[in-house]
Amino acid sequence: MPILDEKLGDIYDEVLRRNPGEDEFHQAVREVLDSLGPVVAKHPEYTDAAVIRRLCEPERQIIFRVPWVDDSGTVRINRGFRVEFNSALGPYKGGLRFHPTVYLGIVKFLGFEQIFKNSLTGMPIGGGKGGSDFDPKGRSDGEVMRFCQAFMTELYRHIGEHTDVPAGDIGVGGREIGYLFGQYKRITNRYESGVLTGKGLTWGGSQVRTEATGYGTAFFVEEMLKTRGDSFDGKKVVVSGSGNVAIYAAEKVRRLGGTVIACSDSNGYVVDEQGIDVDLLKDVKEKRRARVADYAEARPGARYVEGGSVWDVPCDVALPCATQNELNGRDAATLVGNGCAIVAEGANMPCTPDAVRLFADAGVLFAPGKAANAGGVATSALEMQQNASRDSWTFDHTERRLADIMHGIHDRCLEAADLYGKPGNYLAGANIAGFIQVADAMLALGVI
């Protein structure tokens, strides 16, 4: 691990001391601080005004009890979170995650990442994140509805279209957003469309929102390939996961000329050398809510591997699209050994620090999640624009806006990397470009 600048090292030590046991948050902070040495050397005003220290401390952390009743009449208790991290650029913006692993450290890591991701979009949105340790898997629609209503009964007092605008994340899709918005509307007696994004198309949602994160990742990789005078044509691509991001990354990669030959879920992975049939994958995962093993059974020529690592499959481009720290140093070594040239994070921080270092040492182009998976929040901001103007845009118009935003993020990353002596380093460029925009806004607003 590289040695931090002395001033940044003191800040990191303080983060460790003040946030014990929050490993994912520590990792996210360290990743950003590793890039900021040349920035604070050139701009001492950032450390003089304690901008970085303030950035590492959320503006508000909300933890609350969520009591609800399951179908058998048993009272259940879950814990809800909303970390409103930084609002220097606009209202807090970030998803809600419903998963048993959710705890304060996960929410803070995601919220911290969101600050820089949202900044990179160039849109006026701050960073936040939330969720609960509730697991919607195996629950009936009625149970999910009652949980969402109980969750919003507390959350509603902390959010608003000019204050904090949640969206979906793992475990929170269109169904959950609908129940959450319905309860918000019932409690407040306001049809405040802009308070939540990821809504259904018939009641204020945006075209492309479902596809946005996956499409955005593919658009970003397309730009990375162009820097080498290349394209997706003939490229073999491996995608981890088989949820929303993975499915639509695969769909867009195929349309751009690439072939996605493998995807996975928590039980194993499937290899389809002819190219993943995205329509079949959607049917298996979105309609049947089944496993990728069922895809292999229904697809001639596909093979299923139980357990193991999808990164053992040789590829030109790797897109980790599942969850944090899913791709480790061993996986990275395998990818490098098999000739992988580009890795772009479709999920939030899916590569461990040792994996990222190995990619850098091997000359693999690496795009961090705060840049490559910003398409989801960018399209959420487009949904907010439509809600504010009581407007609705076509799919093609919204997709063009998304593509333009992702191309802009790509270029901002490279420009910042060049300016601060790290040419071609997307990780450093994303951290620096995202940080400077937020830091300048914080200086302008004073010590608050």
Side-chain angles (χ1 to χ4, degrees):
M1 187 175 290
I3 298 174
L4 284 171
D5 174 277
E6 183 178 354
K7 293 180 180 178
L8 297 175
D10 290 343
I11 293 171
Y12 185 62
D13 289 343
E14 186 175 288
V15 167
L16 296 179
R17 179 177 58 80
R18 291 169 64 89
N19 304 277
E22 298 175 1
D23 294 344
E24 297 86 357
F25 178 52
H26 302 162
Q27 181 182 338
V29 171
R30 179 63 195 247
E31 181 191 271
V32 172
L33 295 185
D34 279 340
S35 302
L36 296 186
V39 179
V40 297
K42 188 174 182 179
H43 299 282
E45 63 271 22
Y46 294 144
T47 49
D48 292 345
V51 166
I52 302 172
R53 273 192 163 84
R54 285 189 277 152
L55 254 178
C56 293
E57 185 68 24
E59 293 175 11
R60 192 172 293 108
Q61 302 179 62
I62 303 153
I63 304 176
F64 52 96
R65 181 180 65 199
V66 187
W68 59 284
V69 180
D70 69 16
D71 286 344
S72 69
T74 301
V75 175
R76 303 285 184 177
I77 306 294
N78 286 97
R79 183 172 289 174
F81 303 89
R82 189 67 181 172
V83 174
E84 297 174 334
F85 224 115
N86 189 284
S87 59
L89 296 178
Y92 310 105
K93 185 82 190 81
L96 298 170
R97 176 176 293 192
F98 290 171
H99 193 272
T101 60
V102 169
Y103 79 108
L104 185 59
I106 288 279
V107 178
K108 285 168 69 174
F109 129 62
L110 293 167
F112 187 75
E113 286 277 294
Q114 201 78 45
I115 300 169
F116 305 97
K117 182 189 304 185
N118 294 0
S119 171
L120 284 168
T121 68
M123 306 179 88
I125 43 178
K129 205 76 179 184
S132 173
D133 56 1
F134 170 75
D135 189 357
K137 283 186 179 178
R139 293 293 179 184
S140 70
D141 284 350
E143 288 177 322
V144 172
M145 180 185 72
R146 290 193 294 278
F147 173 81
C148 288
Q149 289 174 343
F151 184 85
M152 183 56 75
T153 298
E154 173 59 32
L155 186 67
Y156 89 94
R157 66 189 83 237
H158 306 290
I159 64 176
E161 62 183 353
H162 302 298
T163 305
D164 185 352
V165 182
D169 193 82
I170 294 171
V172 179
R175 173 183 63 174
E176 289 77 15
I177 292 293
Y179 294 148
L180 291 165
F181 182 75
Q183 183 73 347
Y184 182 87
K185 185 174 76 72
R186 176 163 69 175
I187 293 172
T188 63
N189 194 32
R190 294 194 303 269
Y191 204 104
E192 190 179 329
S193 297
V195 73
L196 284 167
T197 57
K199 300 183 294 297
L201 292 177
T202 58
W203 46 281
S206 174
Q207 300 275 4
V208 193
R209 180 60 190 90
T210 301
E211 300 86 353
T213 307
Y215 276 22
T217 301
F219 286 139
F220 196 95
V221 175
E222 182 183 35
E223 294 301 301
M224 296 172 78
L225 286 162
K226 287 179 183 177
T227 67
R228 294 186 167 180
D230 208 345
S231 71
F232 268 115
D233 289 343
K235 297 291 182 296
K236 289 188 175 183
V237 181
V238 167
V239 176
S240 68
S242 50
N244 180 274
V245 180
I247 287 172
Y248 291 101
E251 181 172 272
K252 183 53 67 174
V253 165
R254 183 181 66 181
R255 292 177 184 173
L256 292 173
T259 302
V260 176
I261 59 170
C263 65
S264 63
D265 61 21
S266 57
N267 290 351
Y269 64 92
V270 64
V271 181
D272 189 344
E273 294 288 351
Q274 299 304 308
I276 294 291
D277 182 330
V278 175
D279 290 335
L280 175 58
L281 185 61
K282 287 181 184 178
D283 178 68
V284 170
K285 301 303 290 189
E286 296 181 343
K287 293 182 181 178
R288 289 191 260 161
R289 298 184 183 271
R291 314 303 292 170
V292 294
D294 297 276
Y295 172 96
E297 287 183 8
R299 175 75 165 168
R303 62 185 175 88
Y304 174 68
V305 179
E306 187 169 355
S309 171
V310 73
W311 308 121
D312 291 339
V313 181
C315 62
D316 303 300
V317 177
L319 305 179
C321 295
T323 191
Q324 68 270 5
N325 291 325
E326 58 166 297
L327 195 162
N328 59 31
R330 176 206 165 276
D331 299 324
T334 301
L335 286 168
V336 170
N338 286 333
C340 181
I342 290 178
V343 177
E345 295 185 323
N348 292 300
M349 206 172 70
C351 297
T352 62
D354 55 338
V356 175
R357 285 193 294 275
L358 202 153
F359 292 140
D361 292 343
V364 173
L365 289 184
F366 171 76
K370 59 175 65 71
N373 90 342
V377 74
T379 306
S380 282
L382 297 179
E383 182 174 332
M384 292 167 66
Q385 287 185 25
Q386 294 170 80
N387 295 157
S389 60
R390 295 290 189 264
D391 201 356
S392 180
W393 303 339
T394 66
F395 190 99
D396 288 344
H397 174 79
T398 310
E399 186 179 7
R400 285 195 299 272
R401 290 289 306 274
L402 170 63
D404 288 344
I405 291 167
M406 296 309 299
H407 297 165
I409 293 171
H410 174 272
D411 293 347
R412 279 192 284 280
C413 291
L414 283 191
E415 288 165 6
D418 285 344
L419 185 61
Y420 286 89
K422 298 179 181 289
N425 188 326
Y426 287 96
L427 176 59
N431 288 332
I432 291 168
F435 167 76
I436 287 176
Q437 178 150 320
V438 177
D440 287 346
M442 291 175 69
L443 287 176
L445 297 178
V447 180
I448 57 172

